[in-house]
Amino acid sequence: DGAVFSNIPRPDIKIDHEKGDAKINYRISHDFTKNSRGIITEFMLLAGEVAADFLFHNKVPGLFRTQPRISKSTQKASNGLMQEDIDESKELMKRPMIIVEQMENSKGLGPMTITSKRSIHQGLGLSGYCQVTSPLRRYGDLLNHYQIKSILRKEIAPITEYDLIQLIPAVSNRLADIQNLQRLSERFWVLQCIAEQVKTSPKLPFKAFVMEGGDAKSEITVMLLNFGLQVKMMTKRPHKKSETIEVIVKTVEPFYDVLILEDQGRWNI
């Protein structure tokens, strides 16, 4: 069925320390397919696919990353939007419905899990996938290297499937901790960046579009396009999904993960 493509805006933040002060540099990355990072990503996925097939065909266990299939009804939610449609868009942020539909497709994916047997990874569109490109940085990659080397040397695999199954909970928990830490760190610095802008311009308007609409006096989910940040906010009027609105920041507290927005009506700037 192919991979589930995601071109959702994400913040790319770098902190420069100059004379003891932290300077925040950020940009929105929403099209990784057209730069060197996209090429690197594709080669890493190819290496993972080849490694998974190599282990599978030689009947050697490894640490495989899997993700269940999504239903066909969920895939159809994209209304026929193809990769070419997204690539041809000069400014993805002017076409919020694309991002909304990609978010809906992503929700149809099951959780990513680590197993000792090869299985489909629907998010990547691969019949099998394992990480092998960073053995110095990731323990799971190193274990897969041991297994692959045993095949090349025509030796017995040093790690049995039973041993791998015993290791999976620890590897999965550590991976979840790292991902959560990365998410919280990224969100903190985005909020810090917003706080600095609001400090100089308290009524500065921000462009956002509605990811999940709602009725009057209800909670909705919006994405701040300048920061690639999803935020829940209360509203006094009904909103439709993919509606573009103007918001201002009422309260922002990076250390407490607090961001309160106020709706200013439809975006007309």
Side-chain angles (χ1 to χ4, degrees):
D1 294 331
V4 177
F5 181 76
S6 177
N7 209 20
I8 299 169
R10 292 183 175 85
D12 185 3
I13 301 173
K14 294 183 180 180
I15 311 300
D16 295 330
H17 294 277
E18 298 179 357
K19 298 181 180 179
D21 296 327
K23 182 181 179 182
I24 306 172
N25 296 317
Y26 83 97
R27 65 184 180 87
I28 296 298
S29 175
H30 56 75
D31 192 354
F32 70 90
T33 62
K34 293 183 179 179
N35 54 35
S36 59
R37 183 177 297 182
I39 296 174
I40 293 172
T41 299
E42 290 297 331
F43 276 116
M44 290 174 65
L45 294 177
L46 177 61
E49 181 184 20
V50 171
D53 288 344
F54 189 66
L55 290 171
F56 174 75
H57 290 300
N58 284 278
K59 299 181 180 179
V60 173
L63 291 179
F64 299 91
R65 296 168 73 91
T66 68
Q67 194 169 33
R69 289 178 178 272
I70 58 175
S71 64
K72 292 184 178 180
S73 58
T74 305
Q75 287 180 321
K76 289 181 180 179
S78 62
N79 292 329
L81 281 170
M82 303 298 289
Q83 172 65 47
E84 293 77 7
D85 298 321
I86 298 171
D87 287 341
E88 290 174 359
S89 175
K90 294 182 179 180
E91 296 184 50
L92 182 65
M93 292 193 298
K94 290 185 177 180
R95 301 177 64 183
M97 198 58 198
I98 295 177
I99 303 176
V100 172
E101 290 170 351
Q102 289 176 358
M103 291 290 293
E104 291 297 324
N105 283 344
S106 297
K107 289 180 181 179
L109 291 172
M112 193 283 297
T113 58
I114 299 176
T115 67
S116 61
K117 296 181 182 296
R118 188 186 74 161
S119 184
I120 191 170
H121 194 302
Q122 184 59 50
L124 300 177
L126 302 175
S127 59
Y129 176 72
C130 64
Q131 290 185 316
V132 293
T133 56
S134 299
L136 297 179
R137 185 167 59 89
R138 291 191 295 248
Y139 183 55
D141 295 37
L142 181 62
L143 296 182
N144 285 330
H145 273 240
Y146 286 148
Q147 302 296 79
I148 292 171
K149 286 181 179 178
S150 70
I151 300 172
L152 297 175
R153 294 171 177 172
K154 298 182 180 180
E155 299 173 350
I156 297 176
I159 310 171
T160 66
E161 184 173 3
Y162 175 82
D163 292 333
L164 287 174
I165 292 174
Q166 299 302 309
L167 286 169
I168 286 174
V171 173
S172 298
N173 291 338
R174 179 58 60 89
L175 178 62
D177 290 340
I178 293 173
Q179 291 174 339
N180 188 50
L181 178 61
Q182 181 180 358
R183 179 185 61 82
L184 292 175
S185 176
E186 184 179 88
R187 184 176 176 88
F188 169 82
W189 287 110
V190 170
L191 294 181
Q192 186 66 31
C193 189
I194 293 174
E196 290 187 0
Q197 293 193 20
V198 173
K199 185 177 181 180
T200 56
S201 302
K203 296 296 183 179
L204 181 66
F206 293 100
K207 184 178 182 180
F209 68 82
V210 180
M211 304 292 295
E212 295 180 5
D215 299 327
K217 297 182 179 180
S218 64
E219 186 180 69
I220 63 173
T221 302
V222 302
M223 175 177 283
L224 293 177
L225 292 176
N226 287 356
F227 302 95
L229 181 68
Q230 292 188 56
V231 183
K232 292 185 179 296
M233 59 177 287
M234 297 301 298
T235 179
K236 297 180 181 180
R237 64 184 181 91
H239 288 80
K240 295 181 180 179
K241 183 185 295 186
S242 79
E243 178 184 357
T244 305
I245 63 175
E246 176 184 326
V247 298
I248 61 173
V249 176
K250 297 294 292 183
T251 304
V252 56
E253 296 287 349
F255 283 100
Y256 298 99
D257 192 19
V258 173
L259 178 61
I260 300 176
L261 303 176
E262 183 177 286
D263 180 18
Q264 299 294 297
R266 295 187 63 85
W267 180 267
N268 296 315
I269 298 178

